[in-house]
Amino acid sequence: MEAARVRLTVPTARRLAIWSQLMGSRRQVGRGKAGAAQVIDHLGRVQIDTISVVERAHHHILWSRCPSYDPQMLHELQARERRVFEYWWGHTASYLPMSDYRYYRSQMEAAAAAPWMQQWLSSHRELADTVLGRIRDEGPLASADFADTSGRKRGSWWDWKPAKHALEMLLRAGILMVAGRRSFQRLYDLAERVLPPGTNTRGPSKEETARFVVRRALTAMGSAPLDGIRWSWLGDRRAISEAVAEMAATGEVTPVQMQGRDGETQYAWTELLNHSGRPGRARLHLLSPFDPLVADRRRTRELFGFDCKLESYVPAAKREHGYFCLPILCGDHFIGRLDPKADRKSKSLVVRKLTLEQDGADVDQILPLLAAMLRAFATFNRCESVVLEVTEPRRLRTPLSMALKTL
């Protein structure tokens, strides 16, 4: 029999989600590189993205939780200390804790045995052997270190040269790993040379994987329905359902009923549920659109009533908010969005459009928090000034400019 469900108000559910994302209090995360490692270990994944109009998403996500973070720290965690590795979480390339490697090893082995992989290796054995041979002899290599032997002009982003295809296929199969990055390009090396000594490579059982998925989902999400927990490429759906029931029976997981969602049981990680429901001092965060708090657009709409649109691939004339809008979180509400650009030449953070979605009565309270965050975000992007172009409401522009000058 299922344990009695704990009732959650919407504000409590929001605070639980924010706390689970390590943004409820500065005390949740340590400083510097140790803090960055703590964030990756807790979240379980940090999405990698190529858009660089401001600092890339993976750096932004870490900085949002660890304000003393510097991008060089991630390089050290990956290339020197081997505390993180790169692989795919679903369809997204991500930084993952090395301690989780064995669960992804199962996926690598499945990819290596898949018919599509076997067919590709059969058709490109000479290419794969050449790529592996060079890496074995020369050490870590990037795609740029291989000539384009296709004899044609390449087109789209995904129109890779043959060697790049080989590198990515061998990475997917776990034969290669990413040893680090050079000017954001992956450096590929043999997996046995990247894995630190003592790494657990033993394949987990189906039940172990299911418990891993439940823990990873709930400690990072706060609360989620069963389908939300199973929204992962890892694990068997039935095994995950059974793991949730078993963990609820032992008290590791608590069934919850969210206000306004009668009939739908959600689940929360009990330890987090007992420590994260209390209101605290309102903090303001400027998030990447790829931040795990908002990456599930449907959940963000349902829980926060906020539509987190990404308009980077929308024609300019049809954009409503801007090219690369950053959601603005204040307390447990999303209060607006910001379309920025880091002008590296002039060392200016250009705010192309800032939109606040709260009514004017709250502007005075938000203003100092917003100014401080813009200044901090500019510094993170190695910019020395903030340039405001468009604000909505328009009357916000002058007082915000003045507040920035006092910092």
Side-chain angles (χ1 to χ4, degrees):
M1 180 180 295
E2 183 182 83
R5 291 179 289 181
V6 172
R7 294 193 65 83
L8 282 186
T9 65
V10 172
T12 300
R14 289 174 176 173
R15 289 194 295 270
L16 177 60
I18 293 165
W19 186 274
S20 299
Q21 282 291 313
L22 300 177
M23 292 187 293
S25 166
R26 292 282 171 87
R27 293 190 300 275
Q28 285 185 267
V29 177
R31 291 183 55 81
K33 187 167 56 175
Q38 182 185 351
V39 172
I40 299 172
D41 287 343
H42 177 85
L43 297 182
R45 64 184 178 98
V46 171
Q47 182 174 338
I48 302 169
D49 194 71
T50 59
I51 295 176
S52 59
V53 64
V54 289
E55 278 286 3
R56 289 186 170 95
H58 40 285
H59 296 309
H60 188 168
I61 291 167
L62 292 171
W63 174 80
S64 295
R65 293 148 177 85
C66 180
S68 57
Y69 168 78
D70 182 272
Q72 178 64 21
M73 296 172 184
L74 185 56
H75 169 75
E76 293 175 3
L77 289 171
Q78 178 184 31
R80 297 179 185 173
E81 299 181 16
R82 305 298 193 202
R83 292 186 62 176
V84 301
F85 71 103
E86 289 186 36
Y87 201 64
W88 289 269
W89 188 93
H91 67 284
T92 59
S94 301
Y95 287 103
L96 307 161
M98 189 65 78
S99 58
D100 289 352
Y101 173 80
R102 61 188 292 249
Y103 297 99
Y104 292 89
R105 184 66 203 169
S106 299
Q107 297 303 310
M108 296 171 191
E109 292 171 351
W116 53 268
M117 178 67 79
Q118 291 299 312
Q119 181 180 358
W120 185 89
L121 287 172
S122 177
S123 302
H124 300 86
R125 174 55 63 187
E126 183 177 353
L127 172 63
D129 287 346
T130 298
V131 167
L132 282 172
R134 282 197 58 191
I135 291 174
R136 186 176 293 109
D137 294 341
E138 300 175 39
L141 295 174
S143 173
D145 296 318
F146 293 87
D148 186 353
T149 59
S150 65
R152 60 183 173 82
K153 183 178 180 180
R154 286 181 285 133
S156 68
W157 178 264
W158 299 109
D159 187 12
W160 291 333
K161 61 186 177 184
K164 174 64 173 176
H165 271 289
L167 291 165
E168 290 295 306
M169 294 294 273
L170 294 168
L171 176 63
R172 180 72 75 171
I175 298 169
L176 296 179
M177 291 183 70
V178 180
R181 285 183 176 256
R182 182 178 67 204
S183 300
F184 195 60
Q185 287 193 7
R186 282 172 169 163
L187 290 170
Y188 303 83
D189 200 358
L190 303 178
E192 58 264 31
R193 295 201 299 224
V194 175
L195 288 171
T199 302
N200 186 351
T201 59
R202 179 181 62 84
S205 67
K206 183 170 65 175
E207 292 74 21
E208 285 178 302
T209 300
R211 291 179 64 86
F212 168 79
V213 169
V214 175
R215 177 174 60 83
R216 274 281 174 234
L218 294 183
T219 55
M221 295 174 69
S223 63
L226 188 56
D227 282 346
I229 298 171
R230 296 188 304 201
W231 184 66
S232 170
W233 70 314
L234 291 171
D236 176 88
R237 291 177 64 85
R238 178 177 292 181
I240 292 172
S241 299
E242 292 172 353
V244 169
E246 292 170 2
M247 295 166 84
T250 61
E252 292 174 271
V253 166
T254 299
V256 298
Q257 172 74 60
M258 192 179 300
Q259 179 184 9
R261 305 251 185 107
D262 293 340
E264 179 188 67
T265 300
Q266 297 202 22
Y267 299 89
W269 194 253
T270 303
E271 183 178 355
L272 288 173
L273 184 65
N274 292 337
H275 292 89
S276 59
R278 296 181 295 275
R281 182 167 65 90
R283 310 194 73 91
L284 191 142
H285 296 276
L286 198 57
L287 303 182
S288 166
F290 297 108
D291 193 286
L293 183 64
V294 297
D296 185 341
R297 311 301 191 208
R298 177 180 175 182
R299 180 172 183 261
T300 305
R301 286 193 298 269
E302 291 178 350
L303 183 58
F304 291 96
F306 184 77
D307 190 6
C308 183
K309 294 180 179 179
L310 181 62
E311 299 180 307
S312 303
Y313 306 106
V314 175
K318 296 184 177 181
R319 291 176 192 148
E320 182 180 359
H321 299 292
Y323 174 76
F324 195 65
C325 269
L326 312 182
I328 304 172
L329 176 69
C330 188
D332 58 9
H333 290 80
F334 284 97
I335 63 167
R337 57 197 88 214
L338 172 77
D339 181 33
K341 178 182 178 180
D343 187 330
R344 275 86 183 190
K345 187 175 181 180
S346 67
K347 295 186 178 181
S348 299
L349 178 70
V350 181
V351 178
R352 295 184 289 198
K353 187 176 181 181
L354 168 65
T355 305
L356 288 187
E357 300 183 0
Q358 295 213 167
D359 58 34
D362 297 312
V363 169
D364 290 343
Q365 180 180 355
I366 294 167
L367 197 63
L369 298 176
L370 184 57
M373 180 53 66
L374 285 175
R375 180 63 67 190
F377 190 63
T379 300
F380 171 58
N381 279 274
R382 293 170 173 77
C383 293
E384 298 173 357
S385 62
V386 179
V387 178
L388 296 178
E389 291 189 345
V390 177
T391 66
E392 293 184 1
R394 290 177 62 184
R395 63 182 179 82
L396 175 65
R397 188 174 184 275
T398 297
L400 182 55
S401 296
M402 293 176 64
L404 284 165
K405 290 178 181 178
T406 65
L407 296 176

